[in-house]
């Protein structure tokens, strides 16, 4: 079956992460093992139990037309910058002849209303803490209303880049970005598009976003040691660090890429999704869900587990996730585990939530292209119950042929994507 | 050869009822659920009408009091409609006699595909009491957090909540998606399910879309954009003054035709094809020529391997706003020329159910094909001259053939279409 199927290539990458305002700087920091985690500085977090996070740089909305900028929330600006970089990197943009053959799929976040707006609403219309409808402003601000729309980010991209084929946005919490990449892959395979701008963006490093994760007790409280706070698979890990940013890929059918002589970072070989159907917060301790997602992605890619060289783990640095994920990796890869390299780049850039899966798929493509397995930072004592071979100390140079990226979300959605190094004889290598 | 996909179950809830049959009968009788909004005192609101689900006993709909603590109103609708469709399909029942390994395989081969429009303003209102108490003092806000807001707040507001809880209730663990894309999300969820069934990724799938948009700030936003009418939705009517909200959910249980036949499942019809595109314009822009909608229809027809002449009835998006209705008429003329089959629309009765609208329309379209009666647009008085070429009527019409085309349009220039056939 896979023999007849259209192959899909990654021909462009764009990133805005806590490690850099573009893909080269983010990748360089990953290779160097530099942390992007520090004190929260965009608002006064002094009263919160958690006061650290991974801010992305304050990038300019330059890729958006000036009249569109007022409609862009912070995460939309990240998206526009990363998407523009991916297109520039791929050296292709939707042109007048092929806009209908371009698609766009994004994994987008959940909160549209900014804290300041909520505070203004409270002062005006909820003085006692409960909305009094008759106190609302008589009319809404249409620009703010546009910014609040969950589909607002997708709309900005579609308009800016003139994409007129299939467009969609997905949300499965922390699996959103990975599932967007998978949905884009399927669009190309079924012939609905030749090229898809696919990625994720999010910014929950806001008072309400931080509050939500604090309430769940999901975040590391290591306020005094921000750079050490995210330590996936370490015995002393105690939660994740909230990050923000965006990652975009230009995905292209192999014939479309060949026709214009495009170079490829990697082939997006397969994707797999599975529901844990266990509990809303907790992963299954045996790794159920992640196991099926990885197996499905490998089968979809027609790649044997033994061919996998590197896994970019979901690796949030919570006790539950990392154990469940390690168990899942062991179940899927068995004795091949010893020859795998596993790391969680969340150790450096924190958790980008709806953007995480897309950013980490991009990092896998870069890892394959440059032959570097990123470090799993901050690992001093491995949790004996996380028995997987981690990239410890520093990023490792090693030729890599196949990489797999895991993304697991609250609500039990699990995703894995598999990438294969583009053969050197492919146009541009 | 790709698998043909049967519709083996349906579920729906909206202002007109909580069963597909009851909703169909109400539409046939020309009943509308649109009335003055009762969720708050809306008497002073110019655009204060909507089609609310009344007497919604959430515990009864969900059948699990403990689960209710994790669900918001929209999730209750989605969970309920999804379970109803699964029950009608016999999906859960057919698993009972299986042995454990076969059950695990069954669950792995069962997919859930959800469409939602987006987050609600009310999702964040739980912070208002704390904000009032901390009086703009963000340090205090952070410090008092744990005492003031439910630890489950984030999980209650997850857009993928229905996917999660349907998964937990059914044990289904297969491929899935949660599309968050305003009004076309329901059709996009069906398209994902269709793809998974056709490629053999799953043996059965549930597509469900849900919405509870009736809240003051959302209403104000739409009103400010000039999209809302006063008290009646009049699709394609010269006096139409805008759309009104509805709430509820709709769900379709899907299975390859041969598999359904092999287990003797009764089929409501088939999903033959889907198409979806963007017009590539601004968030709220609509191409006056219906360019995107025409392309979506053509893609859906091509996917269904059929021609415009095969379409027996069109369930239009027909949201009652002039720009959308006129551009929809233009799109239909573009695709069907002078031979447009009977056109109807149901938002005059149900209000706009955003992502769930098109799935509810599919259920009603199947009933129309089955009974040979296309319900009229009961609020239609005088057809907008710009929509005159459409075969519209306030009275029932007869389908011209055995396929129905269902249209869906939303923000971000999104246009989508589904082609379905009713079981003979």
């Amino acid at each position: 079956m896979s023999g007849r199927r259209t192959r899909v290539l990654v021909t462009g990458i764009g990133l805005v992460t806590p490690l850099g305002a573009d893909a080269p700087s983010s990748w360089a920091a990953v290779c160097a093992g530099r942390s992007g985690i520090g004190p929260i500085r965009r608002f006064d977090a002094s009263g919160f139990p958690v006061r650290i996070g991974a801010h992305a740089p304050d990038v300019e909305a330059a890729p958006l037309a000036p009249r569109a900028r007022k409609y862009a929330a912070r995460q939309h600006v990240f998206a526009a910058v990363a998407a523009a970089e991916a297109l520039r990197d791929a050296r292709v943009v939707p042109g007048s002849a092929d806009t209908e053959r371009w698609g766009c799929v994004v994994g987008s976040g959940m909160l549209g209303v900014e804290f300041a707006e909520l505070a203004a609403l409270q002062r005006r219309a909820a003085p006692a803490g409960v909305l009094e409808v008759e106190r609302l402003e008589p009319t809404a601000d249409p620009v703010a209303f546009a910014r609040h729309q969950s589909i607002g980010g997708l709309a900005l991209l579609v308009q800016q880049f003139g994409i007129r084929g299939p467009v969609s946005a997905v949300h499965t919490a922390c699996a959103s970005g990975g599932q967007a990449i998978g949905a884009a892959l399927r669009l190309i395979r079924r012939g609905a598009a030749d090229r898809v701008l696919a990625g994720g963006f999010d910014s929950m490093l806001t008072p309400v976003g931080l509050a939500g994760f604090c309430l769940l007790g999901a975040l590391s409280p290591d306020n005094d040691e921000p750079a050490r706070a995210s330590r996936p698979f370490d015995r002393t890990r105690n939660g994740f660090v909230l990050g923000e940013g965006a990652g975009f890929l230009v995905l292209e059918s192999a014939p479309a890429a060949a026709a214009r002589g495009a170079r490829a970072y990697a082939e997006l070989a397969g994707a797999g999704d599975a529901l844990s159907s266990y509990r809303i917060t907790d992963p299954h301790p045996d790794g159920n869900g992640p196991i099926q997602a990885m197996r499905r992605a490998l089968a979809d890619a027609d790649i044997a587990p033994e061919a996998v060289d590197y896994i970019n783990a979901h690796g949030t640095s919570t006790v539950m996730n990392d154990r469940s994920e390690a168990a899942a990796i062991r179940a899927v890869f068995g004795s091949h585990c010893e020859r795998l390299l596993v790391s969680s780049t969340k150790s450096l850039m924190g958790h980008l939530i709806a953007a995480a899966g897309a950013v980490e798929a991009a990092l896998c493509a870069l890892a394959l292209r440059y032959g570097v397995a990123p470090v799993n930072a901050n690992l001093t004592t491995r949790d004996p119950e996380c028995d997987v071979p981690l990239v410890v100390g520093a990023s490792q140079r090693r030729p890599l042929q196949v990489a797999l990226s895991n993304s697991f979300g609250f609500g039990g959605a699990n995703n894995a994507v598999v990438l294969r190094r583009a053969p050197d004889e492919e146009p541009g290598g | 050869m790709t698998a043909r996909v049967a519709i083996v179950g349906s579920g729906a809830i909206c202002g007109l009822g909580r069963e597909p049959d009851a909703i169909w009968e109400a539409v046939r009788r020309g009943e509308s659920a649109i009335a003055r909004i009762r969720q708050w005192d809306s008497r002073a609101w110019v655009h204060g009408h909507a089609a609310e689900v009344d007497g919604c006993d959430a515990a009864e709909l969900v059948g699990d009091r403990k689960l209710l603590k994790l669900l918001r109103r929209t999730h209750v609708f989605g969970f309920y409609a999804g379970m109803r469709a699964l029950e009608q399909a016999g999906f859960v029942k057919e698993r009972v006699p299986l042995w454990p390994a076969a059950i695990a395989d069954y669950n792995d081969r069962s997919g859930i595909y959800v469409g939602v429009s987006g987050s609600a303003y009310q999702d964040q209102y739980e912070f208002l009491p704390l904000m009032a108490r901390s009086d703009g003092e963000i340090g205090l806000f952070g410090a008092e957090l744990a005492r003031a807001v439910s630890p489950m707040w984030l999980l209650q507001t997850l857009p993928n909540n229905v996917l999660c809880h349907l998964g937990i209730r059914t044990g289904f663990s297969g491929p899935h998606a949660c599309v968050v894309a305003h009004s076309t999300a329901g059709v996009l969820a069906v398209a994902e399910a269709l793809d998974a069934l056709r490629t053999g990724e799953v043996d059965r799938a549930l597509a469900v879309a849900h919405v509870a948009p009736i809240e003051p700030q959302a209403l104000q936003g739409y009103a400010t954009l000039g999209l809302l009418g006063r008290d009646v939705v009049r699709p394609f009517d010269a006096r139409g003054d805008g759309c009104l909200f509805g709430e509820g959910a709709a769900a379709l249980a899907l299975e390859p035709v041969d598999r359904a036949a092999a287990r003797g499942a009764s089929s409501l019809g088939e999903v033959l094809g889907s198409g979806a595109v963007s017009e590539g314009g601004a968030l709220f822009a609509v191409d006056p020529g219906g360019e995107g909608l025409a392309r979506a229809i053509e893609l859906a027809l091509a996917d269904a391997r059929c021609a415009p002449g095969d379409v027996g009835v069109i369930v239009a998006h027909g949201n009652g706003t002039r720009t959308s209705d006129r551009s929809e008429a233009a799109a239909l003329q573009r695709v069907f020329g002078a031979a447009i089959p009977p056109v109807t629309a149901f938002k005059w009765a149900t209000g706009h159910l955003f992502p769930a609208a098109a799935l509810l329309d599919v259920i009603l379209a199947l009933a129309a094909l089955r009974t040979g009666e296309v319900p009229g647009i009961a609020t239609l008085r005088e057809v907008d001259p710009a929509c005159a070429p459409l075969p519209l009527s306030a009275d029932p019409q007869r389908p011209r053939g055995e396929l129905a085309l269902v249209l869906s349009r939303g923000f971000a220039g999104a246009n989508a279409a589904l082609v379905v056939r009713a079981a003979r």
Side-chain angles (χ1 to χ4, degrees):
Chain A
M1 183 160 150
S2 60
R4 286 181 282 121
R5 232 171 28 189
T6 311
R7 292 195 313 127
V8 175
L9 304 175
V10 180
T11 58
I13 292 174
L15 295 174
V16 174
T17 74
L19 298 177
D22 55 22
S25 59
S26 296
W27 176 243
V30 164
C31 291
R34 211 160 47 234
S35 173
I37 297 167
I40 289 173
R41 51 184 161 72
R42 293 198 72 249
F43 60 93
D44 174 13
S46 60
F48 285 78
V50 172
R51 300 183 286 279
I52 53 172
H55 282 298
D58 297 329
V59 290
E60 301 283 325
L64 291 175
R67 67 177 186 285
R69 288 176 197 165
K70 61 177 186 248
Y71 298 106
R74 180 171 173 84
Q75 63 272 24
H76 303 154
V77 176
F78 296 151
V81 170
E85 185 192 10
L87 292 166
R88 212 165 47 237
D89 185 40
R91 298 193 180 90
V92 63
V93 285
S96 54
D98 68 352
T99 55
E100 295 174 12
R101 297 295 302 161
W102 272 85
C104 184
V105 186
V106 300
S108 49
M110 53 190 285
L111 302 178
V113 179
E114 289 190 23
F115 186 73
E117 296 176 284
L118 193 62
L121 175 78
Q122 183 272 315
R123 283 193 300 274
R124 182 186 170 94
V130 176
L131 185 76
E132 296 170 45
V133 174
E134 63 283 0
R135 286 179 185 265
L136 282 170
E137 300 252 16
T139 57
D141 168 3
V143 173
F145 178 70
R147 225 170 27 234
H148 300 159
Q149 296 302 308
S150 297
I151 203 170
L154 175 67
L156 284 168
L157 296 178
V158 158
Q159 180 185 19
Q160 185 60 43
F161 302 114
I163 293 171
R164 295 169 65 244
V167 307
S168 182
V170 297
H171 183 97
T172 42
C174 319
S176 305
Q179 295 203 335
I181 303 283
L185 172 67
R186 292 190 291 273
L187 278 182
I188 296 176
R189 280 186 183 161
R190 67 177 181 251
D194 298 323
R195 298 183 175 93
V196 180
L197 180 62
F201 50 87
D202 210 345
S203 174
M204 289 190 84
L205 257 180
T206 62
V208 170
L210 180 67
F213 289 112
C214 280
L215 287 164
L216 280 174
L219 300 178
S220 168
D222 293 356
N223 295 313
D224 299 331
E225 280 191 295
R228 290 246 330 123
S230 179
R231 41 188 188 280
F233 305 106
D234 191 274
R235 207 176 58 188
T236 64
R237 72 195 180 281
N238 55 10
F240 69 81
V241 173
L242 196 49
E244 58 176 358
F248 274 84
L249 305 176
V250 172
L251 300 176
E252 216 165 338
S253 80
R260 63 181 191 90
R263 79 194 163 116
Y265 287 93
E267 177 191 355
L268 177 61
D273 302 316
L275 273 180
S276 294
S277 295
Y278 178 60
R279 291 179 192 160
I280 186 163
T281 38
D282 303 339
H284 195 288
D286 296 342
N288 270 337
I291 292 175
Q292 291 92 329
M294 283 188 274
R295 286 194 175 138
R296 236 167 242 156
L298 290 166
D300 186 47
D302 200 14
I303 287 174
E306 293 72 31
V308 175
D309 298 305
Y310 169 65
I311 295 179
N312 187 298
H314 186 55
T316 55
S317 183
T318 64
V319 171
M320 295 292 284
N321 172 80
D322 295 358
R323 269 186 201 166
S324 166
E325 184 171 15
I329 291 172
R330 282 228 79 90
V332 172
F333 294 93
S335 62
H336 175 65
C337 266
E338 310 320 317
R339 288 180 297 279
L340 275 175
L341 291 174
V342 179
S343 70
S344 166
T345 39
K346 291 187 181 74
S347 59
L348 299 169
M349 62 169 74
H351 192 340
L352 274 55
I353 312 295
V359 168
E360 290 161 17
L363 294 177
C364 282
L366 291 162
L368 293 171
R369 177 160 176 88
Y370 296 114
V372 176
V375 65
N376 189 92
N378 300 326
L379 191 91
T380 43
T381 320
R382 181 202 317 261
D383 180 349
E385 291 190 51
C386 296
D387 186 17
V388 288
L390 297 159
V391 184
V392 185
S395 298
Q396 282 181 30
R397 237 173 216 299
R398 185 194 288 194
L400 305 169
Q401 293 301 320
V402 176
L404 180 148
S405 173
N406 278 334
S407 303
F408 314 141
F410 282 142
N414 304 285
N415 165 271
V417 297
V418 176
L419 297 97
R420 178 170 21 214
R421 188 172 202 280
D424 290 333
E425 64 269 22
E426 209 133 5
Chain B
M1 194 55 200
T2 54
R4 286 166 55 199
V5 172
I7 301 165
V8 290
S10 68
I13 182 169
C14 68
L16 289 176
R18 55 178 68 177
E19 296 294 339
D21 287 347
I23 297 167
W24 163 248
E25 287 303 330
V27 169
R28 272 192 63 225
R29 288 193 300 265
E31 284 173 23
S32 167
I34 291 169
R36 188 154 280 289
I37 291 168
R38 295 172 291 271
Q39 286 173 49
W40 70 88
D41 182 358
S42 66
R43 279 171 299 182
W45 286 55
V46 178
H47 305 284
H49 280 65
E52 295 174 287
V53 173
D54 259 348
C56 162
D57 180 349
E60 186 203 328
L61 289 177
V62 168
D64 178 351
R65 223 160 259 289
K66 241 169 65 189
L67 176 57
L68 276 190
K69 286 192 220 135
L70 297 171
L71 302 183
R72 300 183 79 87
R73 188 174 174 90
T74 183
H75 307 137
V76 169
F77 296 145
F79 186 88
Y80 164 78
M83 286 307 297
R84 295 295 291 163
L86 289 174
E87 284 158 14
Q88 191 187 1
F91 280 169
V92 179
K93 207 170 59 186
E94 70 165 327
R95 191 180 56 191
V96 171
L98 301 179
W99 60 96
I103 288 175
D105 184 57
Y106 186 98
N107 291 339
D108 279 349
R109 305 271 311 154
S110 303
I112 303 174
Y113 299 85
V114 182
V116 300
S117 53
S119 302
Y121 283 98
Q122 289 170 349
D123 290 350
Q124 294 189 41
Y125 288 177
E126 266 172 71
F127 288 94
L128 294 179
L130 173 58
M131 294 173 95
R133 217 178 329 146
S134 52
D135 197 24
E137 191 53 59
I138 192 166
L140 207 57
F141 175 89
E144 293 287 315
L145 200 53
R147 275 188 292 278
V149 184
S150 158
M152 299 302 278
W153 171 76
L154 189 70
L155 301 179
Q156 289 160 345
T157 57
L158 285 180
N160 53 311
N161 239 346
V162 167
L163 172 66
C164 167
H165 292 294
L166 282 173
I168 293 172
R169 174 67 70 88
T170 59
F172 286 4
S173 51
H176 57 268
C178 179
V179 181
V180 184
H182 197 243
S183 291
T184 57
V187 175
L188 295 175
V190 171
E192 288 289 327
L194 200 56
D195 189 47
L197 287 159
R198 283 173 171 175
T199 56
E201 283 287 303
V202 298
D203 292 333
R204 65 200 63 77
L206 175 71
V208 54
H210 58 87
V211 72
I214 305 167
E215 52 166 347
Q217 281 192 279
L219 228 67
Q220 279 193 331
Y222 281 82
T224 301
L225 294 175
L227 297 175
L228 291 188
R230 294 178 74 95
D231 51 9
V232 180
V233 179
R234 300 183 191 280
F236 307 110
D237 192 291
R239 290 181 303 164
D241 64 351
C243 197
L244 292 169
F245 288 8
E247 61 178 351
L252 301 173
L254 305 170
E255 187 176 24
V257 165
D258 50 1
R259 187 173 275 275
R263 68 181 178 97
S266 60
S267 163
L268 299 166
E270 286 180 48
V271 180
L272 300 180
S274 73
V277 305
S278 172
E279 290 171 354
L283 179 61
F284 304 130
V286 175
D287 178 69
E291 180 278 332
L293 183 58
R295 279 192 294 125
I297 295 170
E298 278 158 3
L299 289 170
L301 291 172
D303 190 38
R305 294 165 200 270
C306 63
D310 298 328
V311 176
V313 57
I314 296 170
V315 180
H317 184 65
N319 68 13
T321 64
R322 186 145 302 169
T323 312
S324 178
D325 286 356
R326 287 185 175 176
S327 64
E328 195 165 12
L332 292 175
Q333 281 179 268
R334 233 165 148 136
V335 176
F336 291 91
I340 308 175
V343 175
T344 193
F346 298 123
K347 291 184 178 67
W348 59 269
T350 62
H352 194 340
L353 267 69
F354 297 91
L359 298 201
L360 182 56
D361 288 350
V362 165
I363 292 169
L364 296 172
L366 292 173
L369 290 171
R370 195 167 58 235
T371 59
E373 176 186 338
V374 179
I377 297 173
T379 57
L380 190 67
R381 294 288 174 275
E382 182 193 335
V383 174
D384 178 353
C387 305
L390 303 186
L392 294 159
S393 175
D395 300 316
Q397 305 186 71
R398 289 195 66 76
R400 183 181 80 177
E402 52 179 29
L403 307 188
L405 175 69
V406 175
L407 306 180
S408 175
R409 319 182 74 190
F411 289 169
N415 287 277
L418 285 173
V419 180
V420 298
R421 184 204 335 257
R424 289 196 185 85

